[in-house]
Amino acid sequence: MRNINYNKFQREVEKAARENNIPIYGSFELTPLCNLDCKMCYVHLTDPTVKERMLSGDAWIGLMEQAIDHGMLKALLTGGEAMTHPDFIRIYMYLIEKGVIVLVKTNGILLNKEMVDLFTKYPPYAVEVSLYGCDGKSCKAVTGHDVFGTVETNIRAAIEAGLRVRLMITPSAYMLPWVDRIMEYATTFGADDVRVNEMLIEANPDTGRKMEEFGLSLEESARIYRRKLELFPREPKSQMEEEAELMGEIPEDTPHILPKGLYCNGGRISFAVNWDGMMGPCLEFPRDLICADVKTIGFEPAWREVNQGVRDYVVPEECRGCSYSTKCHYCPIQHKAVAVKHLCDSATCTWRKLQADIAKEYRAK
């Protein structure tokens, strides 16, 4: 029998899944509702009719059963706030009982003793908690609510219980006065990992939020990225290096921009289903490019449609000969405003080039 470590095994599974277009990873946006009101959130809705339109626990479980039958091994549960879905525990336990590896994303408010006890008995792969403040004032400025004490208590209790906790920080204009302190505060938890988002996502139109209200300037983003590298020392990588490492392929000096087909694993080995039953390559992917109504046509036809759409997507002409094509790949999410025209957003392009240069600078130290 040949023995290999888990990471290598995972890469081999992913490679085989990509070659055969098998959906082994699924993301499920259980609800767009939330017990916070983060001012940069791309999905949170307050429309009272949402409760009537979002998928029920039975609908989610039926969909997940189809996904498992077609190869799904790992699932992400998110929202909004996933735990506010009335059938969250039933959905979670269904996946656990089926042997699916589960990652839960949460803002931490409902990560209370009852939930920690459940996760301790039936452990998820990880619990990823978004950290929005370092005190009550900063938390309220970002989320609209002072829940700092509750979230801090819950995070520490989850870590003490032995759960694998990851912390996620999403800098925005509303967090700017405190962002350094929040990153420093994150180091005090002893969490398994701390991630700092390097790019904000354009909010969905029905949220009413606009990038110009919560976005950061290039200079602010660069300063935060440099501070992140100082606080969380790991070998800095370009966007492409990180993805190539995860995918176990493509050497650093090989261009990654192809005339047709998106590079990442979204729509190749992974899929995402939004709260209203629309499937795409990932949760943030523009619906006017690639999506399928999984509740109407079923999982397999929806997956085939999404998978084909990703493989046929024509990337911008200007990206193909770019000198940074070994550092970056074209992502329609990051170029959301012009992706339907198969164009490159200049602001995104400038940031990705600067980010690659900063990573190279730190790697040389």
Side-chain angles (χ1 to χ4, degrees), residues 51-112:
K51 288 184 178 180
E52 302 166 9
R53 293 182 285 136
M54 68 185 198
L55 273 62
S56 66
D58 287 340
W60 278 119
I61 288 171
L63 172 58
M64 291 168 182
E65 182 178 22
Q66 295 177 62
I68 293 168
D69 289 344
H70 286 85
M72 185 179 74
L73 304 174
K74 190 173 182 178
L76 163 68
L77 300 181
T78 186
E81 170 52 51
M83 293 184 190
T84 65
H85 192 288
D87 287 321
F88 172 80
I89 292 177
R90 188 159 70 92
I91 292 168
Y92 176 78
M93 287 306 302
Y94 172 80
L95 292 170
I96 292 294
E97 289 166 1
K98 287 291 185 177
V100 175
I101 300 168
V102 185
L103 170 65
V104 178
K105 280 194 175 186
T106 177
N107 59 32
I109 295 174
L110 297 178
L111 190 61
N112 51 28

Side-chain angles (χ1 to χ4, degrees), residues 3-286:
N3 294 321
I4 61 174
N5 66 40
Y6 178 77
N7 288 337
K8 186 174 181 181
F9 168 74
Q10 179 173 279
R11 288 196 297 270
E12 290 190 6
V13 169
E14 290 175 349
K15 183 179 180 181
R18 188 176 175 99
E19 290 171 351
N20 294 280
N21 302 307
I22 299 174
I24 58 174
Y25 298 148
S27 295
F28 302 93
E29 186 182 81
L30 299 185
T31 173
L33 301 177
C34 189
N35 43 16
L36 292 179
D37 189 23
C38 298
K39 297 176 175 64
M40 71 295 175
C41 183
Y42 74 92
V43 65
H44 178 215
L45 299 176
T46 57
D47 182 347
T49 68
V50 164
K51 288 184 178 180
E52 302 166 9
R53 293 182 285 136
M54 68 185 198
L55 273 62
S56 66
D58 287 340
W60 278 119
I61 288 171
L63 172 58
M64 291 168 182
E65 182 178 22
Q66 295 177 62
I68 293 168
D69 289 344
H70 286 85
M72 185 179 74
L73 304 174
K74 190 173 182 178
L76 163 68
L77 300 181
T78 186
E81 170 52 51
M83 293 184 190
T84 65
H85 192 288
D87 287 321
F88 172 80
I89 292 177
R90 188 159 70 92
I91 292 168
Y92 176 78
M93 287 306 302
Y94 172 80
L95 292 170
I96 292 294
E97 289 166 1
K98 287 291 185 177
V100 175
I101 300 168
V102 185
L103 170 65
V104 178
K105 280 194 175 186
T106 177
N107 59 32
I109 295 174
L110 297 178
L111 190 61
N112 51 28
K113 185 180 185 304
E114 177 190 4
M115 200 63 69
V116 169
D117 288 347
L118 176 73
F119 287 162
T120 302
K121 188 173 182 181
Y122 304 101
Y125 173 75
V127 180
E128 186 171 282
V129 185
S130 294
L131 195 61
Y132 296 119
C134 54
D135 54 28
K137 183 178 180 181
S138 54
C139 186
K140 187 172 183 178
V142 176
T143 71
H145 301 271
D146 178 5
V147 293
F148 174 76
T150 298
V151 173
E152 179 181 45
T153 297
N154 290 349
I155 292 174
R156 296 196 185 280
I159 292 173
E160 288 172 8
L163 297 181
R164 185 181 186 188
V165 175
R166 296 172 172 174
L167 299 180
M168 176 64 73
I169 301 170
T170 302
S172 69
Y174 298 102
M175 187 184 284
L176 200 54
W178 304 276
V179 67
D180 284 34
R181 286 174 54 199
I182 292 171
M183 289 192 288
E184 291 162 7
Y185 169 65
T187 66
T188 69
F189 283 94
D192 284 272
D193 196 9
V194 179
R195 297 284 174 176
V196 181
N197 279 331
E198 293 155 6
M199 180 170 282
L200 289 161
I201 297 170
E202 187 75 53
N204 296 336
D206 48 359
T207 65
R209 301 180 182 90
K210 299 185 182 300
M211 181 65 80
E212 54 262 33
E213 297 171 354
F214 60 80
L216 296 168
S217 69
L218 186 65
E219 293 74 21
E220 290 163 345
S221 295
R223 190 195 66 75
I224 293 168
Y225 183 54
R226 291 175 185 275
R227 184 60 178 148
K228 165 197 165 180
L229 294 176
E230 293 170 357
L231 284 170
F232 310 109
R234 55 168 66 92
E235 184 180 0
K237 303 179 188 298
S238 68
Q239 173 196 23
M240 184 53 59
E241 287 175 289
E242 290 184 349
E243 292 188 356
E245 182 179 89
L246 287 172
M247 294 162 65
E249 58 180 278
I250 304 191
E252 164 64 12
D253 59 352
T254 302
H256 310 295
I257 303 296
L258 303 174
K260 188 171 75 170
L262 296 175
Y263 171 73
C264 78
N265 280 330
R268 297 294 185 94
I269 67 172
S270 63
F271 65 92
V273 183
N274 293 99
W275 65 272
D276 55 354
M278 299 301 293
M279 179 190 287
C282 54
L283 292 171
E284 306 90 352
F285 204 90

Side-chain angles (χ1 to χ4, degrees), residues 272-274 276-281 287 290-299 301-306:
V273 183
N274 293 99
D276 55 354
M278 299 301 293
M279 179 190 287
R287 291 191 181 189
I290 301 171
C291 73
D293 189 344
V294 69
K295 35 178 217 309
T296 300
I297 65 176
F299 182 88
W303 167 249
R304 286 201 306 267
E305 190 173 325
V306 168

